[in-house]
Amino acid sequence: MFEEHTILLVDDEVNVLRALRRLFEGEDYIILTGENAAEGLKILERAPVDLIISDHRMPGMSGLEFFKKTLPQYPDPIRII
């Protein structure tokens, strides 16, 4: 039996989030989106995630800073910037 995986997409550009979501349409993934790193952190508090795809350049907190902040508490997700 196939196990469903969850992907978190974090980007400050809504059109990029929509495009990334379309890439995974028709696949057996749960897609969660955050429009900035703070939203991404809130999502991680509520839901287990297998993969995080983040923009690097975002206002407030870069993707690299976001990954550094999440790594100690959420070490298991694969990260792509």
Side-chain angles (χ1 to χ4, degrees):
M1 181 171 209
F2 181 75
E3 182 180 337
E4 200 168 57
H5 295 284
T6 302
I7 300 172
L8 171 59
L9 307 172
V10 181
D11 198 304
D12 59 312
E13 295 184 40
V14 176
N15 289 334
V16 172
L17 289 175
R18 287 183 189 142
L20 288 170
R21 183 183 282 280
R22 280 193 305 271
L23 283 175
F24 296 104
E25 279 182 3
E27 303 294 332
D28 289 327
Y29 297 113
I30 297 169
I31 305 296
L32 306 173
T33 59
E35 292 183 24
N36 54 54
E39 283 186 19
L41 291 170
K42 288 179 185 175
I43 291 168
L44 285 170
E45 290 173 3
R46 304 189 314 259
V49 171
D50 301 294
L51 171 66
I52 306 170
I53 300 174
S54 177
D55 184 15
H56 177 61
R57 291 186 176 171
M58 295 183 289
M61 186 186 309
S62 73
L64 186 57
E65 292 168 328
F66 171 63
F67 284 166
K68 284 181 181 178
K69 188 167 187 145
T70 61
L71 189 59
Q73 192 168 359
Y74 309 101
D76 294 332
I78 296 168
R79 292 161 170 80
I80 299 173
I81 203 158

